[in-house]
Amino acid sequence: MKFMRLDGLRVQAVRPDAAGLDFWLLALVGALAGCGLMAIFSATITRSDGGIVNPFFIRQFVYALCGCAAGFLLWRFVSLRVLRDRSLIPALAALVALAAAAIDGIGIAVNGAHRWLAIGPVTVQPIEFAKPVLIIYFCAYCAANRDSLASFRQLLPILAVFALACLALLAQPDLGSAVLLGAVLVVILFLAGARLAHFALLFGTGLVLVAVAVLAAPYRMRRLLAFVDPFSDAQGGGYQQVQSLIAFGSGGVTGKGLGLSVGKWSHLPEAHTDFIASVLAEELGLLGIAALLMLFAMVMHIGFIAAPLGAGSGDFFSALLARAIAVLLVLQVFINLGGNLSLLPVKGLTLPLLSFGGSSLVAWLLTLTLLLMIRRENFLYQSTHRTTT
């Protein structure tokens, strides 16, 4: 296989053709992104006659084009080997970006949280890109040290990187992303063959630290109490979840029809971001949400089962990364929908490919491009193996 190299000013493509491109996965990602654009168009209509539309849809469409372009460049010019061998440098850059976002005067504060950085005219949320970057590093490290992960000392480098990321996230503050990243790391270590005793120790320590973080911040405690019984404070701490439940309930089985949501008219806060699923549930009903979950499930299937089929080539990194991406997708969808349905506290995590936000959309398009790259490597291995046998 030819890898990226500079020849004068010319960059040679790693993948000069579409051989091995998983068009089925590409179609699933396109369908989810299309559903997101449709949902944002509906959620940001400012008049009941649809005559005036907020700029959110146009902005999200531009973000989608940027994400597709970035994904194409990643697919065409970057190899999995380069990502694996040089994973530490992007991981360290991600830590610097997370820390910078938390610093008053450098990071941009929205609703009291410093989670954004201004890069020229563009505002970026570093954690959205840090999640796949750090996961690549975790998988690369575990693949390179697979035979020695039974030693707790061998786990210290990735635990140190994770701890630094958590410190930066808690300073922003963003406990939800820290919990999500920690859960994915625990699954990666489990899949990589870490000892169960170490797995249990990390899991237990994580639960204790999360409990301490919740108890130390009164607003987190209020949010937790509101989650337990949102209707006890329906006009206060439980307002978001009560309005979300009303939207889900009023949608019924078939929904009210696209664009006919009532909850988005000032009743449901952040209807185009955190609670985009509630708008879809009211407009498309149970059947619409079920179809949406089916699309996510098929993408997850590719990560859990289809992508690692070529791991017989000995590339443990790609198999581990595919499963890690699937776990990240599963958990983020579960946490977002759990908050919408009052099954979990609201954590402010986006619904992948659907919620409004350029950083989230571009980062997820790049992340799922990694699955396309892994699928192609598997296809080439299986084709070569069939030829030689």
Side-chain angles (χ1 to χ4, degrees), residues 86-383:
R86 302 180 184 178
S87 60
L88 180 59
I89 297 175
L92 294 177
L95 294 179
V96 172
L98 290 175
I103 298 175
D104 192 16
I106 299 179
I108 299 174
V110 178
N111 296 328
H114 290 75
R115 301 178 185 175
W116 291 265
L117 288 174
I119 303 177
V122 180
T123 302
V124 177
Q125 191 172 4
I127 183 56
E128 297 296 343
F129 297 96
K131 284 183 290 189
V133 165
L134 291 174
I135 286 173
I136 290 172
Y137 169 70
F138 295 153
C139 291
Y141 182 89
C142 289
N145 299 276
R146 186 181 182 187
D147 296 332
S148 55
L149 288 180
S151 169
F152 188 78
R153 180 179 298 178
Q154 200 67 43
L155 300 179
L156 293 179
I158 55 174
L159 294 180
V161 170
F162 170 67
L164 291 173
C166 285
L167 289 175
L169 288 170
L170 292 176
Q172 292 181 4
D174 188 358
L175 179 62
S177 293
V179 171
L180 176 63
L181 190 60
V184 177
L185 174 58
V186 168
V187 174
I188 290 173
L189 291 175
F190 177 77
L191 294 174
R195 291 179 58 187
L196 289 179
H198 296 159
F199 172 79
L201 175 64
L202 294 174
F203 184 76
T205 303
L207 289 179
V208 171
L209 293 177
V210 169
V212 170
V214 170
L215 294 174
Y219 77 92
R220 291 188 184 125
M221 197 65 195
R222 289 194 298 270
R223 185 177 295 175
L224 181 62
L225 293 175
F227 146 70
V228 174
D229 185 8
F231 288 93
S232 64
D233 190 14
Q235 297 300 317
Y239 179 78
Q240 289 179 312
Q241 289 179 312
V242 167
Q243 294 300 320
S244 179
L245 289 172
I246 291 173
F248 266 88
S250 61
V253 176
T254 58
K256 296 179 177 179
L258 189 63
L260 299 180
S261 167
V262 176
K264 65 189 178 188
W265 304 114
S266 301
H267 298 292
L268 192 60
E270 308 298 335
H272 60 304
T273 55
D274 298 349
F275 290 92
I276 192 73
S278 300
V279 176
L280 286 172
E282 187 176 4
E283 296 184 349
L284 303 181
L286 176 63
L287 295 179
I289 292 296
L292 186 65
L293 290 177
M294 183 62 68
L295 292 176
F296 278 120
M298 287 188 284
V299 176
M300 296 169 191
H301 167 81
I302 292 176
F304 279 125
I305 300 175
L309 288 178
S313 62
D315 190 0
F316 181 70
F317 165 73
S318 65
L320 188 60
L321 180 60
R323 291 187 173 101
I325 292 172
V327 169
L328 178 65
L329 185 64
V330 168
L331 292 178
Q332 190 155 333
V333 170
F334 175 73
I335 292 173
N336 180 274
L337 290 180
N340 278 240
L341 290 167
S342 196
L343 300 174
L344 294 171
V346 177
K347 299 308 299 176
L349 294 175
T350 61
L351 187 61
L353 299 177
L354 274 84
S355 294
F356 175 80
S359 296
S360 176
L361 180 59
V362 173
W364 270 108
L365 288 173
L366 287 172
T367 301
L368 294 173
T369 299
L370 296 175
L371 270 186
L372 287 171
M373 294 163 63
I374 295 170
R375 287 288 287 157
R376 183 180 188 275
E377 298 301 312
N378 292 342
F379 169 81
L380 293 178
Y381 169 75
Q382 290 172 349
S383 299

